[in-house]
Amino acid sequence: FICKHSLQFSRKKVRAMCQAFSVPPGSECRLWMKSSDSSCERLRNVHMSVLDACLSSGMTVIMETRNADGTWPSSRPQIMRNSVEDQDSYRGQAGVCGLTNLGNTCFMNSALQCLSNTPPLTEYFLRTSYLEELNFTNPLGMKGEIAEAYADVIKQMWSGRHYSVVPRVFKTKVGHFASQFLGYQQHDSQELLSFLLDGLHEDLNRVKNKEYIELRDANGRPDQEVAEEAWRNHRRRNDSVIVDTFHGLFKSTLVCPECHKVSVTFDPFCYLSVPLPVSKERVMEVFFVSLDPYAKPVQHRVVVPKAGKVSDLCTALSEMTNVPPTRMVVADVFNHRFYKIYNTEESLSCILDRDDIFVYELSVLEEQQEEQVLLALYLRERSHYRDYGSGSSSYGTTLFGHPLLLNVMRSSCSREALYNLFLQRLARYVRPPDPSEELEEEEEEEDEEEELDKTQTNGISDGIILFCSYKYFFTVCLIGSIILISFLFTGSAAQPYVAIDWDPDMKKRFYNENEAEKYVKHASMEVPQQQTTVQLQECIELFTTVETLEEENPWYCPVCKKHQLATKKLDLWSLPEVVIIHLKRFSYTKFTREKLDSIVDFPLRDLDFSGCLLRKTVSSEEPPSRYDLIAVSNHYGGLRDGHYTSYARNKDNGQWYYFDDSKVTFAREDQIMVSITHTSQTD
């Protein structure tokens, strides 16, 4: 209902208006100023005076109070019903609430569920005291809008009155202040989490005017003194619930490679991005096509150096097939054609795990002065009807089956020789017609025989040449130039190839499609692929290992007066109440992108950081160095696709739950451990 009051205010703060209405103590209110055109403008900063808010006599101010389900009356129509049952009558466990996927927003939902189940942060927002700390003037903040939008989502999720919440307003606010999250593209949950923590901090920063602080180098001073100074300086400019809960302190040590100048600084951090040990080996699955025409392709699993070349793949496969590497050609097959044929000196990083890689055994030709030709053989099926509509009298063709690579002498490229060679190579799944079977001649036989008279049939010259004879039951065509065929070519759309064109009826009679698709698995495929298992402690130790700066990011040495590729070492000095650990599963280099699937093993309780901390003595007011797990953000899939879910422990009942967008189910601790070790992206 709406109740109209006539109230008078002079130089009071805007928040005094809230006190003038008869609302229960502790209720959360919002004020709106009604304009002459019937539109309403939100009065966000209730700490301003009435005059500063440009409120004049006679203006209408509307106040609304938050509903028990965490929503606002003004936004109630935006709350979607996720059940036939009215959510007003639903009473469930607070915090056990799904988030609707708005279109590839699972990364956002996963991060929100993890933060929602962080007790200190959620309890802070469930209280109305956060309103007193909204910072509307911080130029680095979002005018309090991100904090308010997040608070709305949390209050709805923890009201116990929703099966699922639609975070549409929150998504809109995030996209408004961070354009990379506009639209509905896939993103990394860690990127969203980093932005959100930074945005919440600046929106809730208790420091209204940040003073300029000149940083000092350690210059040999004790670490304790330098660390305390760095933390004081940080708190003088940054003081919020995010700093209270998530911020710790690094020790960073840089050493100049020339003058050996040592620079020590202490820097705050909000989360730990720890690398995973990267294996120097790679497992690849390939199909080996033997020279024996009756042998089926064999699928192998080979171990090769991660930074190796195509020749290393051939060498590894040679040990399993007893075929010399020099008689192998590696090709990427896609859509019944060669997408690329690799040179032996090319890097294996060019080959992705999802590529279909075929390795072909080539025949050994006698040593002659004559040039050898590498033929790419495709299989094509002709349509029943000619394509007269395109202005051409040729038949349309469709590729099918697996292509082949053959090594032949140029002199063997005659019509008769190629036909017999192809027939022999396809013997496993092509049945030649019995001599007693008669093949029907086509109407255009005479025209095509005239065409043959005009071409060279004893060998292949440059250009497009057609071979056709009706005593054969398929047609051989050369597409492209023979000059190009003699080289290893890449995936150009205009690459030359030799095609066997099949009439549909002939293909049905003499081509065994089922047999052509068969392959066998090598014993290496039967051995379960062992996943690498690492301890979280190893990741942290790797994080604190000495490394040399990259050329793109040198350090300016104050002694040498020039940029140097210094050595850098990070150490943990102090830890926050809640530690966010980001496992860097996505690995990016100049040539490759991959997701590391190593199993990371660590306990659900009593994760001890004491061995990693430089400072061994802590005060009674500081958190201990042992931590229990409270939430996990999982990523399933690869780099270009995938799905985010999360596991979290409810702060009220201690029960674990599995959050998959709007769906929420109970979870056992043994399920969480499996999910952590196989899919965790952010813990």
Side-chain angles (χ1 to χ4, degrees):
F1 63 91
I2 299 176
C3 183
K4 187 174 182 180
H5 298 262
S6 294
L7 302 173
Q8 292 183 347
F9 299 91
S10 56
R11 297 182 180 276
K12 293 182 179 180
K13 301 288 186 182
V14 173
R15 64 179 176 180
M17 294 183 177
C18 299
Q19 301 169 358
F21 291 89
S22 299
V23 294
S27 296
E28 196 171 336
C29 307
R30 293 200 307 195
L31 294 175
W32 300 81
M33 179 178 66
K34 187 176 181 181
S35 304
S36 57
D37 60 354
S38 298
S39 62
C40 293
E41 180 182 351
R42 171 84 183 282
L43 295 173
R44 293 186 175 276
N45 192 352
V46 297
H47 301 286
M48 297 175 63
S49 68
V50 172
L51 294 178
D52 291 338
C54 299
L55 294 173
S56 59
S57 179
M59 279 190 171
T60 300
V61 176
I62 302 173
M63 188 194 75
E64 62 174 341
T65 58
R66 192 187 289 274
N67 297 318
D69 65 352
T71 64
W72 293 99
S74 60
S75 60
R76 184 67 181 179
Q78 299 180 20
I79 304 302
M80 293 174 56
R81 306 289 179 171
N82 292 302
S83 172
V84 177
E85 181 184 358
D86 189 348
Q87 290 200 18
D88 286 337
S89 63
Y90 172 70
R91 294 294 183 273
Q93 175 65 50
V96 183
C97 177
L99 291 169
T100 301
N101 192 318
L102 302 174
N104 283 331
T105 57
C106 59
F107 72 95
M108 181 183 77
N109 294 345
S110 178
L112 284 175
Q113 291 289 5
C114 289
L115 282 188
S116 170
N117 287 278
T118 303
L121 187 63
T122 293
E123 290 168 0
Y124 170 84
F125 277 100
L126 292 179
R127 300 190 300 267
T128 57
S129 56
Y130 81 94
L131 294 170
E132 301 297 320
E133 296 184 348
L134 285 172
N135 191 329
F136 299 100
T137 60
N138 187 354
L140 300 178
M142 289 95 178
K143 301 178 182 179
E145 294 186 31
I146 285 293
E148 287 191 316
Y150 178 77
D152 287 349
V153 174
I154 293 300
K155 287 179 179 291
Q156 292 175 47
M157 294 174 67
W158 286 85
S159 68
R161 302 191 182 213
H162 299 289
Y163 295 104
S164 181
V165 169
V166 185
R168 194 178 307 279
V169 175
F170 177 81
K171 166 74 169 62
T172 302
K173 294 293 183 184
V174 169
H176 176 72
F177 291 104
S179 59
Q180 67 267 32
F181 297 115
L182 279 173
Y184 301 95
Q185 301 298 316
Q186 298 186 33
H187 295 280
D188 187 355
S189 66
Q190 170 62 18
E191 295 175 0
L192 188 281
L193 186 65
S194 176
F195 162 79
L196 181 55
L197 289 174
D198 185 62
L200 291 176
H201 160 64
E202 297 296 356
D203 270 3
L204 299 167
N205 199 342
R206 304 175 186 115
V207 179
K208 306 304 180 184
N209 297 304
K210 295 189 177 185
E211 58 181 306
Y212 173 76
I213 299 175
E214 186 174 354
L215 301 179
R216 299 166 55 198
D217 200 352
N219 288 328
R221 291 182 293 160
D223 284 350
Q224 184 74 27
E225 176 186 339
V226 180
E228 290 176 356
E229 178 185 79
W231 187 248
R232 284 195 307 270
N233 291 340
H234 179 59
R235 294 306 295 254
R236 283 163 64 184
R237 292 173 55 87
N238 304 278
D239 185 14
S240 70
V241 64
I242 303 300
V243 177
D244 298 340
T245 308
F246 297 104
H247 282 207
L249 206 61
F250 282 141
K251 177 187 177 183
S252 177
T253 305
L254 290 166
V255 180
C256 178
E258 287 190 15
C259 69
H260 304 291
K261 159 70 178 176
V262 178
S263 174
V264 175
T265 57
F266 287 82
D267 305 302
F269 68 88
C270 189
Y271 51 85
L272 300 177
S273 288
V274 299
L276 272 65
V278 179
S279 173
K280 295 182 180 180
E281 294 182 332
R282 174 185 177 186
V283 177
M284 298 183 65
E285 293 183 3
V286 300
F287 291 90
F288 178 73
V289 181
S290 170
L291 197 60
D292 181 0
Y294 293 97
K296 299 181 182 70
V298 182
Q299 186 181 22
H300 291 76
R301 184 176 287 158
V302 294
V303 180
V304 295
K306 183 164 288 187
K309 299 179 180 179
V310 172
S311 58
D312 295 316
L313 171 60
C314 296
T315 300
L317 192 59
S318 175
E319 297 177 0
M320 308 171 77
T321 61
N322 293 322
V323 174
T326 54
R327 289 171 52 190
M328 295 181 182
V329 175
V330 180
D332 180 359
V333 175
F334 175 72
N335 200 21
H336 312 292
R337 68 174 68 237
F338 291 118
Y339 180 77
K340 182 173 182 179
I341 299 180
Y342 293 95
N343 189 293
T344 56
E345 293 302 309
E346 288 189 76
S347 173
L348 287 175
S349 61
C350 300
I351 301 177
L352 305 180
D353 289 336
R354 68 172 186 272
D355 293 340
D356 291 326
I357 302 301
F358 283 71
V359 181
Y360 295 87
E361 179 186 1
L362 300 181
S363 58
V364 179
L365 302 178
E366 297 180 2
E367 291 290 338
Q368 297 182 12
Q369 298 296 324
E370 187 182 351
E371 183 181 1
Q372 299 180 10
V373 177
L374 183 65
L375 292 182
L377 176 62
Y378 293 171
L379 302 179
R380 303 192 307 186
E381 181 177 359
R382 296 191 301 180
S383 63
H384 278 287
Y385 305 100
R386 288 190 169 187
D387 190 9
Y388 293 105
S390 63
S392 170
S393 61
S394 62
Y395 287 97
T397 57
T398 303
L399 289 173
F400 70 93
H402 295 296
L404 291 172
L405 282 174
L406 301 92
N407 197 25
V408 299
M409 292 292 185
R410 182 179 288 271
S411 61
S412 300
C413 293
S414 66
R415 176 184 60 184
E416 189 78 22
L418 284 178
Y419 178 86
N420 292 328
L421 176 63
F422 296 161
L423 190 60
Q424 180 186 16
R425 195 69 182 83
L426 304 174
R428 182 169 60 88
Y429 45 89
V430 172
R431 178 183 69 85
D434 189 90
S436 61
E437 296 183 76
E438 294 184 1
L439 303 181
E440 297 180 1
E441 297 185 2
E442 300 184 12
E443 297 178 0
E444 64 274 10
E445 174 182 355
E446 185 176 328
D447 294 337
E448 292 186 353
E449 285 183 345
E450 292 179 0
E451 178 68 21
L452 282 173
D453 293 338
K454 299 177 183 178
T455 61
Q456 176 182 348
T457 57
N458 292 327
I460 298 180
S461 62
D462 297 345
I464 300 176
I465 295 185
L466 171 70
F467 292 111
C468 180
S469 174
Y470 294 100
K471 66 179 180 181
Y472 306 120
F473 64 106
F474 54 69
T475 305
V476 181
C477 296
L478 169 64
I479 312 300
S481 171
I482 193 61
I483 295 178
L484 296 178
I485 291 183
S486 61
F487 297 96
L488 289 175
F489 43 80
T490 57
S492 169
Q495 71 181 25
Y497 61 90
V498 176
I500 292 179
D501 284 354
W502 290 82
D503 178 82
D505 294 332
M506 292 293 188
K507 176 174 177 284
K508 186 176 181 180
R509 290 171 60 183
F510 302 111
Y511 182 86
N512 189 331
E513 192 165 355
N514 290 332
E515 183 65 28
E517 295 297 323
K518 288 182 180 180
Y519 69 93
V520 296
K521 290 186 177 182
H522 186 263
S524 59
M525 296 296 298
E526 305 300 330
V527 180
Q529 198 167 353
Q530 297 293 327
Q531 277 189 298
T532 306
T533 302
V534 298
Q535 300 294 320
L536 181 61
Q537 200 68 27
E538 295 179 57
C539 301
I540 297 175
E541 289 175 359
L542 189 60
F543 172 77
T544 59
T545 301
V546 177
E547 62 177 357
T548 302
L549 297 179
E550 298 178 350
E551 294 183 2
E552 297 81 8
N553 187 31
W555 171 65
Y556 184 80
C557 177
V559 177
C560 299
K561 303 298 182 183
K562 63 179 180 179
H563 288 91
Q564 299 280 17
L565 298 181
T567 59
K568 181 179 181 180
K569 188 178 190 304
L570 288 177
D571 292 291
L572 298 177
W573 180 260
S574 63
L575 294 174
E577 180 179 1
V578 177
V579 175
I580 300 175
I581 300 177
H582 169 220
L583 302 178
K584 297 169 68 175
R585 290 196 177 274
F586 296 151
S587 174
Y588 301 93
T589 67
K590 188 178 296 184
F591 303 103
T592 62
R593 295 181 178 183
E594 63 177 331
K595 179 182 176 182
L596 306 176
D597 60 354
S598 302
I599 298 175
V600 179
D601 188 18
F602 57 90
L604 296 179
R605 298 177 183 83
D606 291 330
L607 177 61
D608 192 0
F609 279 92
S610 58
C612 308
L613 287 172
L614 288 184
R615 186 177 56 168
K616 301 302 180 183
T617 57
V618 296
S619 65
S620 58
E621 300 178 355
E622 294 178 310
S625 58
R626 292 179 180 271
Y627 293 80
D628 292 340
L629 186 71
I630 58 172
V632 181
S633 174
N634 305 305
H635 179 266
Y636 300 88
L639 289 171
R640 292 173 176 80
D641 55 8
H643 181 58
Y644 278 99
T645 63
S646 57
Y647 282 91
R649 187 178 64 188
N650 187 276
K651 68 181 182 64
D652 293 338
N653 64 7
Q655 170 67 44
W656 281 91
Y657 295 91
Y658 179 62
F659 299 90
D660 185 356
D661 289 331
S662 58
K663 183 181 178 182
V664 184
T665 55
F666 285 98
R668 304 188 312 270
E669 287 193 354
D670 57 344
Q671 292 176 300
I672 299 162
M673 196 61 196
V674 170
S675 297
I676 290 171
T677 56
H678 284 83
T679 62
S680 175
Q681 170 66 13
T682 304
D683 303 328

PDB file of all heavy atoms in Angstrom, residues 229-240:
ATOM      1  N   GLU A 229      55.539  -1.198   7.753  1.00  0.00           N
ATOM      2  CA  GLU A 229      55.399   0.093   7.080  1.00  0.00           C
ATOM      3  C   GLU A 229      54.542  -0.043   5.820  1.00  0.00           C
ATOM      4  O   GLU A 229      53.662   0.791   5.559  1.00  0.00           O
ATOM      5  CB  GLU A 229      56.778   0.639   6.718  1.00  0.00           C
ATOM      6  CG  GLU A 229      56.754   1.964   5.973  1.00  0.00           C
ATOM      7  CD  GLU A 229      58.147   2.390   5.538  1.00  0.00           C
ATOM      8  OE1 GLU A 229      58.629   1.839   4.523  1.00  0.00           O
ATOM      9  OE2 GLU A 229      58.739   3.248   6.207  1.00  0.00           O
ATOM     10  N   ALA A 230      54.781  -1.088   5.038  1.00  0.00           N
ATOM     11  CA  ALA A 230      54.022  -1.300   3.803  1.00  0.00           C
ATOM     12  C   ALA A 230      52.547  -1.541   4.101  1.00  0.00           C
ATOM     13  O   ALA A 230      51.670  -1.028   3.396  1.00  0.00           O
ATOM     14  CB  ALA A 230      54.609  -2.478   3.024  1.00  0.00           C
ATOM     15  N   TRP A 231      52.267  -2.318   5.154  1.00  0.00           N
ATOM     16  CA  TRP A 231      50.868  -2.598   5.494  1.00  0.00           C
ATOM     17  C   TRP A 231      50.163  -1.342   6.006  1.00  0.00           C
ATOM     18  O   TRP A 231      48.997  -1.097   5.680  1.00  0.00           O
ATOM     19  CB  TRP A 231      50.796  -3.719   6.522  1.00  0.00           C
ATOM     20  CG  TRP A 231      49.398  -4.187   6.796  1.00  0.00           C
ATOM     21  CD1 TRP A 231      48.690  -4.043   7.939  1.00  0.00           C
ATOM     22  CD2 TRP A 231      48.539  -4.884   5.886  1.00  0.00           C
ATOM     23  NE1 TRP A 231      47.445  -4.595   7.819  1.00  0.00           N
ATOM     24  CE2 TRP A 231      47.327  -5.125   6.559  1.00  0.00           C
ATOM     25  CE3 TRP A 231      48.686  -5.332   4.569  1.00  0.00           C
ATOM     26  CZ2 TRP A 231      46.259  -5.788   5.960  1.00  0.00           C
ATOM     27  CZ3 TRP A 231      47.626  -5.983   3.973  1.00  0.00           C
ATOM     28  CH2 TRP A 231      46.427  -6.212   4.657  1.00  0.00           C
ATOM     29  N   ARG A 232      50.861  -0.528   6.806  1.00  0.00           N
ATOM     30  CA  ARG A 232      50.275   0.737   7.276  1.00  0.00           C
ATOM     31  C   ARG A 232      49.955   1.643   6.085  1.00  0.00           C
ATOM     32  O   ARG A 232      48.881   2.249   6.027  1.00  0.00           O
ATOM     33  CB  ARG A 232      51.224   1.446   8.242  1.00  0.00           C
ATOM     34  CG  ARG A 232      51.287   0.864   9.635  1.00  0.00           C
ATOM     35  CD  ARG A 232      51.949   1.846  10.590  1.00  0.00           C
ATOM     36  NE  ARG A 232      53.254   2.297  10.111  1.00  0.00           N
ATOM     37  CZ  ARG A 232      54.403   1.691  10.395  1.00  0.00           C
ATOM     38  NH1 ARG A 232      54.392   0.594  11.150  1.00  0.00           N
ATOM     39  NH2 ARG A 232      55.548   2.168   9.939  1.00  0.00           N
ATOM     40  N   ASN A 233      50.887   1.742   5.161  1.00  0.00           N
ATOM     41  CA  ASN A 233      50.657   2.582   3.982  1.00  0.00           C
ATOM     42  C   ASN A 233      49.469   2.075   3.159  1.00  0.00           C
ATOM     43  O   ASN A 233      48.684   2.862   2.628  1.00  0.00           O
ATOM     44  CB  ASN A 233      51.910   2.631   3.110  1.00  0.00           C
ATOM     45  CG  ASN A 233      53.042   3.398   3.759  1.00  0.00           C
ATOM     46  OD1 ASN A 233      52.824   4.204   4.675  1.00  0.00           O
ATOM     47  ND2 ASN A 233      54.269   3.145   3.316  1.00  0.00           N
ATOM     48  N   HIS A 234      49.362   0.760   3.050  1.00  0.00           N
ATOM     49  CA  HIS A 234      48.252   0.181   2.297  1.00  0.00           C
ATOM     50  C   HIS A 234      46.920   0.509   2.971  1.00  0.00           C
ATOM     51  O   HIS A 234      45.955   0.909   2.288  1.00  0.00           O
ATOM     52  CB  HIS A 234      48.438  -1.334   2.195  1.00  0.00           C
ATOM     53  CG  HIS A 234      47.333  -2.036   1.462  1.00  0.00           C
ATOM     54  ND1 HIS A 234      46.996  -1.747   0.161  1.00  0.00           N
ATOM     55  CD2 HIS A 234      46.469  -3.028   1.869  1.00  0.00           C
ATOM     56  CE1 HIS A 234      45.994  -2.523  -0.231  1.00  0.00           C
ATOM     57  NE2 HIS A 234      45.651  -3.300   0.796  1.00  0.00           N
ATOM     58  N   ARG A 235      46.851   0.392   4.297  1.00  0.00           N
ATOM     59  CA  ARG A 235      45.609   0.651   5.012  1.00  0.00           C
ATOM     60  C   ARG A 235      45.260   2.136   5.054  1.00  0.00           C
ATOM     61  O   ARG A 235      44.093   2.497   5.226  1.00  0.00           O
ATOM     62  CB  ARG A 235      45.694   0.102   6.434  1.00  0.00           C
ATOM     63  CG  ARG A 235      45.798  -1.410   6.547  1.00  0.00           C
ATOM     64  CD  ARG A 235      44.677  -2.121   5.814  1.00  0.00           C
ATOM     65  NE  ARG A 235      43.377  -1.873   6.374  1.00  0.00           N
ATOM     66  CZ  ARG A 235      42.686  -2.756   7.102  1.00  0.00           C
ATOM     67  NH1 ARG A 235      43.195  -3.955   7.345  1.00  0.00           N
ATOM     68  NH2 ARG A 235      41.496  -2.463   7.559  1.00  0.00           N
ATOM     69  N   ARG A 236      46.248   2.997   4.883  1.00  0.00           N
ATOM     70  CA  ARG A 236      45.963   4.438   4.855  1.00  0.00           C
ATOM     71  C   ARG A 236      45.191   4.832   3.596  1.00  0.00           C
ATOM     72  O   ARG A 236      44.502   5.852   3.581  1.00  0.00           O
ATOM     73  CB  ARG A 236      47.275   5.226   4.931  1.00  0.00           C
ATOM     74  CG  ARG A 236      47.875   5.266   6.343  1.00  0.00           C
ATOM     75  CD  ARG A 236      49.324   5.678   6.314  1.00  0.00           C
ATOM     76  NE  ARG A 236      49.525   7.042   5.820  1.00  0.00           N
ATOM     77  CZ  ARG A 236      50.736   7.588   5.634  1.00  0.00           C
ATOM     78  NH1 ARG A 236      51.833   6.866   5.905  1.00  0.00           N
ATOM     79  NH2 ARG A 236      50.834   8.824   5.194  1.00  0.00           N
ATOM     80  N   ARG A 237      45.295   4.022   2.555  1.00  0.00           N
ATOM     81  CA  ARG A 237      44.582   4.302   1.305  1.00  0.00           C
ATOM     82  C   ARG A 237      43.479   3.283   1.006  1.00  0.00           C
ATOM     83  O   ARG A 237      42.596   3.544   0.203  1.00  0.00           O
ATOM     84  CB  ARG A 237      45.575   4.309   0.131  1.00  0.00           C
ATOM     85  CG  ARG A 237      46.560   5.451   0.161  1.00  0.00           C
ATOM     86  CD  ARG A 237      47.614   5.301  -0.942  1.00  0.00           C
ATOM     87  NE  ARG A 237      47.030   5.153  -2.260  1.00  0.00           N
ATOM     88  CZ  ARG A 237      46.694   6.176  -3.054  1.00  0.00           C
ATOM     89  NH1 ARG A 237      46.882   7.420  -2.642  1.00  0.00           N
ATOM     90  NH2 ARG A 237      46.183   5.967  -4.244  1.00  0.00           N
ATOM     91  N   ASN A 238      43.549   2.136   1.658  1.00  0.00           N
ATOM     92  CA  ASN A 238      42.609   1.050   1.377  1.00  0.00           C
ATOM     93  C   ASN A 238      42.116   0.446   2.681  1.00  0.00           C
ATOM     94  O   ASN A 238      42.879  -0.223   3.392  1.00  0.00           O
ATOM     95  CB  ASN A 238      43.279  -0.031   0.527  1.00  0.00           C
ATOM     96  CG  ASN A 238      43.844   0.520  -0.764  1.00  0.00           C
ATOM     97  OD1 ASN A 238      43.130   0.693  -1.746  1.00  0.00           O
ATOM     98  ND2 ASN A 238      45.135   0.815  -0.768  1.00  0.00           N
ATOM     99  N   ASP A 239      40.860   0.697   2.995  1.00  0.00           N
ATOM    100  CA  ASP A 239      40.284   0.202   4.248  1.00  0.00           C
ATOM    101  C   ASP A 239      38.833  -0.193   3.980  1.00  0.00           C
ATOM    102  O   ASP A 239      37.956   0.664   3.868  1.00  0.00           O
ATOM    103  CB  ASP A 239      40.358   1.290   5.329  1.00  0.00           C
ATOM    104  CG  ASP A 239      39.875   0.780   6.672  1.00  0.00           C
ATOM    105  OD1 ASP A 239      39.737  -0.446   6.825  1.00  0.00           O
ATOM    106  OD2 ASP A 239      39.616   1.617   7.566  1.00  0.00           O
ATOM    107  N   SER A 240      38.598  -1.473   3.830  1.00  0.00           N
ATOM    108  CA  SER A 240      37.249  -1.956   3.526  1.00  0.00           C
ATOM    109  C   SER A 240      37.093  -3.369   4.049  1.00  0.00           C
ATOM    110  O   SER A 240      38.053  -3.999   4.509  1.00  0.00           O
ATOM    111  CB  SER A 240      36.989  -1.935   2.012  1.00  0.00           C
ATOM    112  OG  SER A 240      37.762  -2.930   1.368  1.00  0.00           O
TER     113      SER A 240
END
